[in-house]
Amino acid sequence: MCQFGARPFAPKIGAQKQFHIGMNVTNSQSRRLTAMLQDVQNQIENKSLDVAAKSLTRLSKDHGRDPRLFLLGTQLALASGNMGGALASARRAYDLAPKWHVAQIHLSEVLTKVGKEKEALALARLAIEQVKLIGSDKQAQAQLLRKGATVAQRFGDYALATQWLERVLQLTPDDLTVRNEFARCLTYAGKPQQAAQLLSEMLNQQPDNPALLLNRLRANILAGQAELAIADGERLVAIDALNDVYRFYLQVARGETPPTQPEAVISELFDAYAAHYDELMLKTHRVPVPDAVAKMILEWHPLKDADILDLGCGTGLLGAFLGPNKGVLVGVDLSADMLAVANQRRVYDRFHAVNLLAALDATPADLYHVITMLDVVSYVGDLQPVASNALKVLTPGGRLVLTFEPLSDGTENYKLFNNFLFAYAPAYVEKLMQSAGFEGVSLTEQVLRYDGQVEVRGYMAVGQKPVTSIETAAPKPTKNAKRVRRGQ
C-alpha cells in the first residue's frame, strides 16, 4: 500500500497549475473511482492536505496501479512544498502509463521545476507527438501544446516554444492571450520586429491593453525602433504614471539611464531563468566567479566559520562551491524560484526574497564577515547606497566582494544598455568604495563568463572594513537547524 503524506520539507514554489485527472471511463466502477479522485483533487484545492493524503492512501489499497493516484500525489506534494515527493510521484505515474500523454507532460513539468532540462524537454516532445491521438478535442490539444511551450520557455528554448504556440494558434486563432505569449517568445527568439508586427495587429483590437503595449515596447527596444518604443512608453505612462516598470522602459527607450531596475522586472527575468540557470551559467557560459570567490573566502577563513551574506544569490552557486559552513550563510534574491533551487543545496541557513538594497538597509551593523555581490550589480544602477550600507553591515575587518562589467566610455559613472544591464566605470566603483570607508580597495580584471569561445571580461572589486571600527552590540546571526523556508 502506498503512503501519501503532506509533510513539507522544502519551500513551496508558487501557485501550482491544476490538471485534468480524467481518463476514458468504461464502466460504473471506473466512474466511481474517477468521482473519488475528483473529490481528492477538490480537497487539495481547498488546502485540506491531510484529508487528501489519507484519501489517496485509502484508495491505493485497491487501485495502487492507477497512474491518476500518483498524478494527484504529485499535486499534493507540490501543494505541501515537498518537491522530492512530487518528483517521485510523477515518475511513478509515468512508469505506470509511459505512453499516456498526461503522465508524460506532467513529469516534464515537475522535472522543469528541478532543472532537469534534457529529460523535461524530451518528455514534452514525446507528449506533443501524441497531440493528434487526443482526437477532435481542440481545447485538450491546445492545452497540451501550451504546457509543452511553457516547459520550453522555462529552459530558454524560445524557438521551440514559438513552434508549439504557433500550433496552438492554428487551433485557437482568436485567443489573444496565446497570441501575446507567442509574440513574447518571438521577441526572445531574436525576432522582435515580427513580434512587434503581431502585437500591432492585436492592439488594433485593444488599443489600450497595457500588457500588449508593454510587450511591443520591449520588442521595439530590442529591434532598435526607438521612436516606436518611446510612443508606446508614453502611452503606458499616460495610463499609469506611477508604474515604475512603465517609467523604466520609457527611460530605456529614450536612451536615458534609470537609477535602478524595478523589482518586478528583475524577479520576472530570473523566475524564468531558475529552471536552467545552473546549466546556463556553469556549462554554457562556464562562469568561473563563484568558484574563485569561494576559494578566496576559504583563504580568509580557513576554519569555515565566516558569517556570509550572499546578495543576489540566485540558485546558490556560491554556496555550492563553499560547501558546508560552520558560520552562517544567508542568501538574498528577488526571485522566489531561484531561492527554491538554492534551498535544495542545503547549505544556506536563511533566505530573504527582497531587494538587496532593502536587505542591507534592514540588517544590523557589524553582523557579517563577508558580503558577496556576484553578477548582480548589473541590475542595480546607483551603487552609492550599496557601498555605504555594506560597510555598516560588515564586522570590523570584514570584506565586500562584487563583480561588474566595465564601461569603455569614461564620461559616465554607470549606464544601462539595450540588453537591460548596467555597466560601470571602474574608477567610479573604486572611488565609491573608498569614499564609503573601505580600505585596501582592489579592482582585478576578471573573466566573468564565456559567450561561445569569447571571453567576457569585467572586474572583481574587493574592499575591507577598517579593523579599528567600533563593533556594536548587534547579535551574531544564528544557524538554522531546520534550514529555511523561502522568504523567511
Side-chain angles (χ1 to χ4, degrees), residues 81-373:
N82 184 343
M83 184 57 70
L87 183 56
S89 289
R91 286 196 184 281
R92 180 59 175 156
Y94 175 70
D95 289 342
L96 289 168
K99 296 183 179 180
W100 188 31
H101 66 275
V102 175
Q104 292 165 348
I105 198 64
H106 194 67
L107 177 55
S108 175
E109 290 177 310
V110 178
L111 287 166
T112 297
K113 294 180 184 297
V114 296
K116 303 293 185 180
E117 179 177 359
K118 290 183 180 179
E119 191 177 1
L121 285 172
L123 279 164
R125 287 188 174 96
L126 192 62
I128 285 173
E129 285 175 2
Q130 301 188 57
V131 164
K132 293 182 179 179
L133 300 180
I134 295 175
S136 59
D137 188 342
K138 290 186 177 181
Q139 184 177 358
Q141 292 180 31
Q143 183 184 37
L144 177 57
L145 286 161
R146 286 197 70 182
K147 284 177 177 288
T150 299
V151 170
Q153 288 178 67
R154 294 292 282 180
F155 291 113
D157 195 338
Y158 291 102
L160 182 60
T162 56
Q163 290 179 28
W164 288 342
L165 287 172
E166 193 167 19
R167 291 173 65 181
V168 177
L169 287 174
Q170 292 172 3
L171 296 166
T172 58
D174 297 325
D175 190 326
L176 282 179
T177 301
V178 176
R179 292 174 70 190
N180 189 26
E181 184 181 356
F182 178 60
R184 178 180 172 277
C185 287
L186 284 173
T187 298
Y188 294 117
K191 300 178 180 178
Q193 290 178 319
Q194 187 177 340
Q197 182 178 352
L198 177 60
L199 289 160
S200 295
E201 294 172 4
M202 288 184 277
L203 281 162
N204 288 334
Q205 301 175 48
Q206 297 186 11
D208 293 320
N209 185 307
L212 298 178
L213 283 168
L214 182 58
N215 276 345
R216 190 171 68 175
L217 167 56
R218 291 168 171 160
N220 280 323
I221 289 173
L222 292 174
Q225 300 293 326
E227 292 185 5
L228 296 175
I230 291 169
D232 283 340
E234 290 174 344
R235 286 176 66 183
L236 284 166
V237 170
I239 293 170
D240 185 356
L242 299 180
N243 189 302
D244 59 350
V245 174
Y246 299 165
R247 289 188 282 112
F248 168 78
Y249 281 114
L250 177 56
Q251 285 182 287
V252 174
R254 288 172 171 167
E256 302 169 358
T257 297
T260 190
Q261 289 207 38
E263 292 185 9
V265 173
I266 299 171
S267 59
E268 178 186 7
L269 172 66
F270 284 100
D271 280 348
Y273 275 158
H276 68 294
Y277 187 79
D278 287 2
E279 179 92 8
L280 185 66
M281 292 296 105
L282 297 179
K283 294 185 179 180
T284 303
H285 291 305
R286 308 192 302 283
V287 172
V289 173
D291 184 28
V293 173
K295 289 174 180 175
M296 290 168 56
I297 293 173
L298 292 176
E299 287 180 4
W300 298 331
H301 302 276
L303 299 180
K304 303 190 73 173
D305 57 353
D307 297 322
I308 303 165
L309 181 60
D310 187 7
L311 296 173
C313 66
T315 59
L317 290 177
L318 176 64
F321 284 104
L322 278 172
N325 186 46
K326 296 176 185 176
V328 173
L329 177 59
V330 175
V332 173
D333 204 283
L334 274 172
S335 169
D337 286 358
M338 290 286 226
L339 292 181
V341 177
N343 187 79
Q344 295 174 33
R345 301 189 190 282
R346 320 309 278 174
V347 293
Y348 286 80
D349 294 281
R350 277 183 298 285
F351 294 112
H352 299 281
V354 297
N355 185 297
L356 66 86
L357 296 171
L360 285 171
D361 186 59
T363 301
D366 303 303
L367 200 62
Y368 290 98
H369 299 103
V370 179
I371 296 175
T372 59
M373 300 179 64

